[in-house]
Amino acid sequence: MQTVWLSGAEWLAVLRIGLGLWWLESWRHKDKKGWFERGTGIAWAADVANKHRWTFVKNGFHRIVAPRPKAMAYTVVYAELALGLGLVFGFLTPIALIGGLLLNLLYLVLMIHDWAEQGQNAMMALISLVALLAMSWQTWSLDAAIGLFL
């Protein structure tokens, strides 16, 4: 597919890189000291889960996240960094796209009542799905350079 400026594969790479930059911005703007030392991120998520309209969200949070708040804080913050770097550089891209899709779906379920958050998570999930199904790692990526996922 040829377009006015870039090829279809190149536009998919732009989409993938843009999604990676979005993840990096999500990582950058987090108050890491608050997340790691004061537990603000997990405390906020606990408050959201406790008020959630679906009981499985509250139960799941209390079973999986609440017992290990520090580990979960590090997991969330560094997952966003890893996703961003993986997508920008195109390294282990299908894994990063699936991981990002799952994380956005998790955020989507957790924040089901907040329509402002829903738009961002839905859009990021859609971009992940398109980039995954269109194999966006074939252009401008370390994966393509070293022959991964051909």
Side-chain angles (χ1 to χ4, degrees), residues 68-84:
R68 35 189 99 64
K70 251 203 192 319
M72 288 297 163
Y74 279 95
T75 300
V76 168
V77 171
Y78 286 110
E80 291 182 356
L81 175 62
L83 290 170

Side-chain angles (χ1 to χ4, degrees), residues 8-141:
E10 290 167 336
W11 278 117
L12 286 167
V14 168
L15 191 65
R16 182 198 80 230
I17 292 165
L19 180 61
L21 292 172
W22 202 344
W23 278 116
L24 288 174
E25 174 56 21
S26 182
W27 173 80
R28 186 200 64 80
H29 85 265
K30 278 192 175 30
D31 173 13
K32 278 93 170 160
K33 192 172 187 173
W35 272 74
F36 300 147
E37 294 176 16
R38 296 186 310 276
T40 56
I42 300 302
W44 169 82
D47 185 54
V48 171
N50 285 331
K51 297 175 186 170
H52 206 281
R53 66 177 85 165
W54 297 335
T55 55
F56 80 88
V57 172
K58 180 168 44 172
N59 294 341
F61 184 89
H62 287 292
R63 229 177 265 128
I64 297 167
V65 179
R68 35 189 99 64
K70 251 203 192 319
M72 288 297 163
Y74 279 95
T75 300
V76 168
V77 171
Y78 286 110
E80 291 182 356
L81 175 62
L83 290 170
L85 292 173
L87 293 173
V88 167
F89 292 106
F91 183 64
L92 301 176
T93 311
I95 296 166
L97 288 167
I98 291 168
L101 178 62
L102 292 174
L103 192 56
N104 278 125
L105 292 176
L106 181 68
Y107 291 168
L108 197 73
V109 169
L110 182 63
M111 297 301 298
I112 197 74
H113 66 282
D114 185 343
W115 288 106
E117 280 290 318
Q118 293 296 56
Q120 173 179 315
N121 290 310
M123 189 57 62
M124 290 176 80
L126 178 62
I127 293 169
S128 294
L129 188 61
V130 167
L132 179 67
L133 296 177
M135 299 180 0
S136 65
W137 55 88
Q138 295 179 352
T139 303
W140 301 342
S141 73

